[in-house]
Amino acid sequence: MGKSTTMRLTGLACGALMATALLGGCVAQNGTQATEQQTANRQYMTQVNQAMDDLSGRLDGFADAVARGDVVTMRTQADNAYRALDALSALEAPEDLKKVQAAYVEGCSELEEALDAYIALYTEIENATEDSPFDYATYDERLKEIQDQYDKGLEKLRAGDKEASSLPS
């Protein structure tokens, strides 16, 4: 073999080696990016689960206050629930989970409106007087509308969970 043939073969071998190294580097980088995305997704869902656990406890306190007709405690428990709802709404979702977060934000908004409506209804009942009595003829209908809105909020939260569980891991 001549010197020029050896140099060409060495050049080709070096080129092939460099291409392999570059390709391997791209695969490693893509693998690292995928792992980072999966880690971000898991961290986000962990935060969601913590916020949901917090919200659940706070909504239980609100439900107890509603059952007792205790408007003052309803307001306190609603304020506690709002903090949990705000924390859930404020979470920064990774790109893969933006639709999930949008469902959670919608659900939080519906729940906040329902809690406000419960408080308004029970405040109206509590503030009724003989001169300005509460219209109990509308109570069942109003309560149903509020409960429907509350259920709608919970359903949107469930839709977010469903969306998250349907994504590849």
Side-chain angles (χ1 to χ4, degrees):
M1 244 194 290
K3 187 175 182 181
S4 83
T5 305
T6 303
M7 287 184 71
R8 269 193 252 146
L9 287 174
T10 303
L12 286 172
C14 286
L17 185 60
M18 286 181 64
T20 302
L22 287 174
L23 182 59
C26 290
V27 169
Q29 185 177 4
N30 286 340
T32 300
Q33 287 173 344
T35 301
E36 288 173 2
Q37 186 64 41
Q38 289 170 343
T39 300
N41 289 353
R42 279 192 295 276
Q43 287 173 344
Y44 167 77
M45 290 310 298
T46 297
Q47 291 172 331
V48 166
N49 288 334
Q50 289 170 344
M52 290 290 198
D53 285 346
D54 189 28
L55 176 60
S56 178
R58 292 173 185 213
L59 289 176
D60 286 345
F62 182 83
D64 289 344
V66 169
R68 291 189 317 270
D70 182 351
V71 177
V72 172
T73 304
M74 272 187 239
R75 171 52 56 199
T76 300
Q77 293 301 323
D79 288 343
N80 290 336
Y82 296 154
R83 282 192 288 279
L85 290 167
D86 290 345
L88 181 58
S89 292
L91 290 177
E92 192 65 38
E95 193 60 39
D96 291 353
L97 297 170
K98 294 287 187 191
K99 287 173 75 174
V100 171
Q101 180 64 13
Y104 290 149
V105 169
E106 287 178 38
C108 289
S109 177
E110 290 289 338
L111 286 175
E112 284 183 10
E113 289 177 24
L115 294 177
D116 285 341
Y118 270 119
I119 292 168
L121 174 64
Y122 283 92
T123 299
E124 194 176 321
I125 291 169
E126 186 175 86
N127 292 335
T129 63
E130 200 171 293
D131 293 335
S132 180
F134 179 76
D135 181 9
Y136 279 97
T138 64
Y139 177 79
D140 288 338
E141 181 181 329
R142 288 177 64 187
L143 192 59
K144 183 184 178 332
E145 287 173 6
I146 295 167
Q147 187 62 47
D148 288 347
Q149 184 170 25
Y150 185 87
D151 291 343
K152 185 178 175 184
L154 291 178
E155 186 53 41
K156 288 186 184 222
L157 294 177
R158 284 186 205 104
D161 288 344
K162 185 176 179 181
E163 176 76 25
S165 68
S166 70
L167 293 173
S169 49

